[in-house]
Amino acid sequence: MAESKRRGEDAGDERLNDDATVDGVADDDATDADEPVTRGGTATRKRARADSTEGRKTRKDTERIGLFARIARFFREVVAELRKVIWPTRKELLTYTAVVVTFVAVMLAIVAGLDYGFAKAVLWVFGNPS
């Protein structure tokens, strides 16, 4: 009986038909057969290590850049990154500011209330010196 349930031998098994899906994805949507299936291993690591060493330059190959050139490059890169920023509109800025101010006010009230309560509790426990 166990031999009759081996994989591929039972033609009536619905899980093994050609239109089966794997994890809810049809066979057509799965990866192409042309792409190699990698399961990790040393071949991938060797290739990645070889690629990383090919583009590596030694200190002799590159000329030393001066201090002012490095500072100028830093500021150029800062300006380039700031151009990528999506700046908020005036309405969004006012909304965000109101949210932050409200949150800070609420937290300030909570901390002030706890401070006042603990001060009263300490004076009640240890007595008022006056």
Side-chain angles (χ1 to χ4, degrees), residues 91-120:
K91 184 179 179 182
E92 291 172 337
L93 183 65
L94 292 174
T95 303
Y96 297 156
T97 304
V99 167
V100 169
V101 168
T102 304
F103 177 76
V104 169
V106 168
M107 293 306 295
L108 183 114
I110 291 171
V111 170
L114 288 173
D115 182 49
Y116 182 77
F118 285 131
K120 288 294 183 180

Side-chain angles (χ1 to χ4, degrees), residues 11-56:
D13 194 358
E14 294 175 5
R15 292 178 291 162
L16 298 176
N17 63 12
D18 292 333
D19 298 332
T21 59
V22 177
D23 294 333
V25 178
D27 288 338
D28 324 33
D29 297 338
T31 57
D32 295 327
D34 297 347
E35 291 184 28
V37 177
T38 59
R39 302 201 191 277
T42 58
T44 307
R45 289 186 193 128
K46 286 180 184 176
R47 185 174 0 113
R49 217 179 283 138
D51 291 344
S52 66
T53 57
E54 289 174 3
R56 193 179 300 167

Side-chain angles (χ1 to χ4, degrees), residues 116-127:
Y116 182 77
F118 285 131
K120 288 294 183 180
V122 166
L123 287 175
W124 179 77
V125 169
F126 293 111

